[in-house]
Amino acid sequence: MSALLEVKDLATHFMTRDGVVKAVDGVSFVLEPGKTLAVVGESGSGKSVTALSIMRLIQEPQGRIVSGEILFKGDDIRKMSDSQVRSVRGDRIAMIFQDPMTSLNPVFRVGRQIGESLILHKGMTRKQAFERAVELLEMVGIPHPRDRAKDYPHQFSGGMRQRAMIAMALACDPDILIADEPTTALDVTIQAQILELMMEMQERTGAAIIMITHDLGVVADMADDVMVMYAGKQVEYGTSDRVFYEPRHPYTWGLLASLPRHDVDEKGTLLPITGQPPSLINVPPGCAFHPRCPHARGLCREEVPGLHDVGGGHLTTCPLAPDERPSEAPAQREGA
């Protein structure tokens, strides 16, 4: 199957008074039609900037994509003109932003905002776009969609605003849907509903999904592939089964160990990752994770590790052999 999206050695930097922030520093992955890629990591690891780079929404001149290729159906988005990018953005590639309250315009009615992309990309009249917006709101589970389409964003609850953002993203039946923390600040029931809605959409339209999250548990049953990011770099990449069952990087072990377990009778102890993520202006030498890693060696502090294949397309930057993994390192997805 040919790749729908191929990102090669992407690097996006921001120029500040204190120095260069290397928010994304050499990320590569392939996304096929109908597949879901989960991008996971702590806040500040470069997940959202990766998505914004794909959408060409990096604000210049402070920020810019300094290297790499973003190939959508073989065409490099980096080399497209602004008008070409606008024709792709919102139509063929759509994004659900992290905070719907700040992403929705407070002075326009929800139905009008959903219909804007239909007018722009599909040539619909305003009346046709409104009718389609009502259909989309009904599709995402908004009650009384015709009435609610006439409401303003502040009249929606948090879960309803997130559903409206999904309706907006799905309006043009995109080939790729990028979901940036789509369940943040929502209760568990609404989280499950949002994820189920996205999976139903994918099954119906065949769209590919990039799911950005810090919570491995959210994507345990949803993702086909998982990319783990730390300090602007990918430190592990592989199928969901391989990353959950056979994690090969200490940072991934830490993320899995911090998940609550539901498959045991007694309450287990959550194991936090010690320390704080590094400054992306002054990234530690060698492996950026080594100051927080209990398994770091001399080489980890001196050389920046590259990705290597440990079998079956499972990539990691950590040199530890499988038999060196500590017994407490999670290797199951139960309870995730």
Side-chain angles (χ1 to χ4, degrees), residues 115-291:
E116 282 181 349
S117 62
L118 294 168
I119 295 171
L120 175 64
H121 296 295
K122 302 301 183 185
M124 291 186 180
T125 64
R126 193 165 294 280
K127 182 178 180 180
Q128 290 172 329
F130 178 80
E131 292 299 324
R132 177 57 178 159
V134 172
E135 293 176 5
L136 288 162
L137 287 174
E138 183 177 19
M139 184 179 72
V140 298
I142 298 292
H144 311 293
R146 186 168 298 276
D147 294 331
R148 299 317 300 260
K150 300 173 185 177
D151 287 342
Y152 292 93
H154 74 271
Q155 295 175 283
F156 278 39
S157 67
M160 290 174 67
R161 284 194 293 268
Q162 195 65 284
R163 288 171 183 266
M165 285 293 298
I166 293 176
M168 188 182 302
L170 299 182
C172 295
D173 293 326
D175 297 311
I176 299 174
L177 176 65
I178 302 175
D180 188 2
E181 303 276 9
T183 58
T184 296
L186 300 179
D187 63 59
V188 175
T189 302
I190 299 299
Q191 282 187 17
Q193 292 174 355
I194 294 295
L195 295 175
E196 183 179 1
L197 175 63
M198 293 175 61
M199 288 188 286
E200 289 175 355
M201 175 279 303
Q202 185 178 45
E203 184 176 351
R204 183 175 61 253
T205 66
I209 295 176
I210 298 177
M211 169 72 78
I212 298 172
T213 181
H214 63 276
D215 186 354
L216 278 168
V218 169
V219 298
D221 296 318
M222 185 175 178
D224 296 293
D225 299 302
V226 178
M227 179 171 72
V228 183
M229 292 189 66
Y230 185 79
K233 295 180 179 292
Q234 57 190 120
V235 296
E236 187 158 5
Y237 182 94
T239 65
S240 177
D241 284 342
R242 292 294 295 268
V243 172
F244 276 93
Y245 283 108
E246 303 175 51
R248 292 294 299 271
H249 196 282
Y251 181 58
T252 310
W253 304 341
L255 292 176
L256 289 168
S258 65
L259 289 174
R261 295 287 298 273
H262 304 293
D263 61 325
V264 291
D265 294 330
E266 297 182 2
K267 294 183 179 179
T269 301
L270 298 182
L271 302 174
I273 302 174
T274 59
Q276 297 294 325
S279 164
L280 295 181
I281 296 176
N282 297 304
V283 179
C287 173
F289 187 62
H290 86 255

Side-chain angles (χ1 to χ4, degrees), residues 84-119:
Q84 288 175 318
V85 171
R86 284 194 294 269
S87 70
V88 172
R89 186 193 301 141
D91 184 21
R92 306 319 327 143
I93 305 177
M95 185 168 177
I96 304 170
F97 292 93
Q98 187 168 349
D99 186 353
M101 194 59 199
T102 58
S103 301
L104 292 168
N105 193 318
V107 301
F108 291 111
R109 301 179 193 273
V110 171
R112 177 177 175 180
Q113 296 187 59
I114 294 174
E116 282 181 349
S117 62
L118 294 168
I119 295 171

Side-chain angles (χ1 to χ4, degrees), residues 10 56 65-70 75-80:
L10 177 67
R56 269 259 306 261
I65 303 172
V66 297
S67 66
E69 296 179 305
I70 307 169
D75 296 324
D76 193 346
I77 293 178
R78 283 195 66 199
K79 297 179 180 178
M80 291 181 181

